[in-house]
Amino acid sequence: MMKDQSIKIFPTVEKLARSFAELLQQNADKTDDNDFYSIALSGGSTPNKIFRYLSENFKDKINWAKIKIFFGDERCVPPENEDSKYRMANESLLKNISIPKENIFRIKGENDPTKEASRYEEVLKSNLPSLKGIPQFDLILLGLGEDGHTASIFPNQLNLFYSARLCEVAVHPQTKHKRITLTGKIINNSKHVLFLVTGKNKASVLSKIFDVNNSRSEYPASLVNPKNGKLTWFLDIEASKMFDGKSNNKLIER
Ligand code: 6PG
């Protein structure tokens, strides 16, 4: 069955970043007093560029105090380690904006992974509203790996997507390093899931994910389908090569 999703293609990563910044600005502005707009951040080079754009251009335009920041996944390393996703987000965004420390909920990569997955699950339950008994994010940002992975759910670990837990310990298929990841249960309960995908290296996997004649459910990213929310793809021209010649597809906005 076709998913309810929309695709926006931007001529440059900067224009994509601007559109994301405006989305955040509008959502923070319309959030009621005493309420928060909750986001799970993603790692990767695209979010890094977007975070820098926000720091440079929207630092004073967004009401950061209305935003609660969570993470979609984390490598099992301390926060000062160069592989830490918290470190990346902190360097490129968090330390540059005026957001109260208590609005930031990082995954503690330095902790025992199994205990940390359980601890973070409790953090999510106590700090997010719930829908059908499952915590609900306003927005989850996701990246897409060339192998079709998303968050830290890799193609050989689809069982993690279907887990009954909210957080699981994943193992990177090549490096064997452990990571903590959100599962499909909470990803697909989100009000909005936004994939950020740029660069020509992603065109091939995107063409497989969007091939309606050959639904590739072996890709974790293909399993993302927020039933009670919306699914949006922000792509740049390079990543969206597979849409060439199909510009009247109603899903696509350029
Ligand atoms: C990781 C990366 C990864 C990333 C995607 C997309 O933990 O291995 O963070 O999951 O999100 O590979 O990355 P880009 O934004 O660099 O394309």
Side-chain angles (χ1 to χ4, degrees):
M1 213 181 69
M2 285 281 285
K3 279 187 212 173
D4 183 12
Q5 56 190 341
S6 64
I7 302 158
K8 287 194 187 182
I9 300 173
F10 297 89
T12 61
V13 179
E14 189 174 358
K15 292 222 162 87
L16 185 158
R18 180 171 186 90
S19 186
F20 175 73
E22 287 167 355
L23 180 150
L24 207 54
Q25 183 184 35
Q26 286 156 12
N27 281 301
D29 283 348
K30 65 181 188 214
T31 299
D32 291 340
D33 288 348
N34 306 321
D35 200 2
F36 291 94
Y37 185 73
S38 56
I39 318 179
L41 301 184
S42 150
S45 59
T46 312
N48 198 19
K49 286 179 200 149
I50 294 173
F51 297 165
R52 290 205 181 277
Y53 180 90
L54 285 168
S55 294
E56 284 159 22
N57 302 284
F58 275 72
K59 183 172 145 64
D60 303 317
K61 293 188 184 148
I62 291 175
N63 188 355
W64 297 105
K66 304 296 300 172
I67 297 179
K68 280 189 185 177
I69 306 266
F70 298 80
F71 287 79
D73 65 331
E74 181 59 281
R75 298 178 177 139
C76 293
V77 294
E80 57 282 0
N81 187 291
E82 64 175 27
D83 287 338
S84 162
K85 298 199 178 192
Y86 168 77
R87 179 175 183 273
M88 185 280 269
N90 190 42
E91 290 294 317
S92 57
L93 179 65
L94 305 176
K95 72 172 193 195
N96 309 319
I97 55 175
S98 26
I99 183 162
K101 289 255 175 305
E102 61 271 21
N103 289 20
I104 300 173
F105 301 87
R106 78 173 174 92
I107 300 175
K108 297 187 175 172
E110 66 276 32
N111 286 354
D112 170 79
T114 307
K115 287 188 186 144
E116 179 57 15
S118 302
R119 188 198 70 87
Y120 204 62
E121 183 157 324
E122 291 309 316
V123 168
L124 300 175
K125 285 182 185 160
S126 5
N127 291 285
L128 291 170
S130 67
L131 176 75
K132 298 183 181 161
I134 305 168
Q136 187 179 45
F137 281 107
D138 289 309
L139 176 66
I140 298 192
L141 301 182
L142 292 176
L144 173 69
E146 286 169 52
D147 59 356
H149 84 260
T150 194
S152 276
I153 304 181
F154 294 87
N156 63 339
Q157 292 155 26
L158 289 182
N159 58 314
L160 300 186
F161 194 92
Y162 297 115
S163 169
R165 311 290 310 268
L166 304 177
C167 300
E168 284 280 5
V169 180
V171 178
H172 188 279
Q174 278 82 43
T175 64
K176 309 291 178 206
H177 291 160
K178 288 188 176 170
R179 293 158 168 237
I180 312 277
T181 186
L182 300 187
T183 63
K185 183 171 178 174
I186 183 159
I187 292 173
N188 279 346
N189 200 46
S190 181
K191 278 192 191 160
H192 188 187
V193 178
L194 174 58
F195 274 97
L196 302 167
V197 187
T198 64
K200 61 178 186 318
N201 295 349
K202 303 292 165 66
S204 166
V205 67
L206 276 174
S207 70
K208 289 171 188 147
I209 288 172
F210 282 95
D211 181 355
V212 283
N213 301 315
N214 184 15
S215 161
R216 306 282 289 241
S217 54
E218 75 262 37
Y219 293 129
S222 299
L223 305 175
V224 174
N225 189 8
K227 296 267 165 40
N228 304 297
K230 60 180 175 178
L231 173 59
T232 313
W233 295 78
F234 274 15
L235 312 178
D236 73 344
I237 289 276
E238 297 284 316
S240 66
K241 290 286 185 229
M242 80 287 188
F243 294 121
D244 282 357
K246 299 181 200 160
S247 54
N248 53 7
N249 184 330
K250 284 202 206 78
L251 288 172
I252 303 174
E253 201 180 305
R254 289 169 195 262

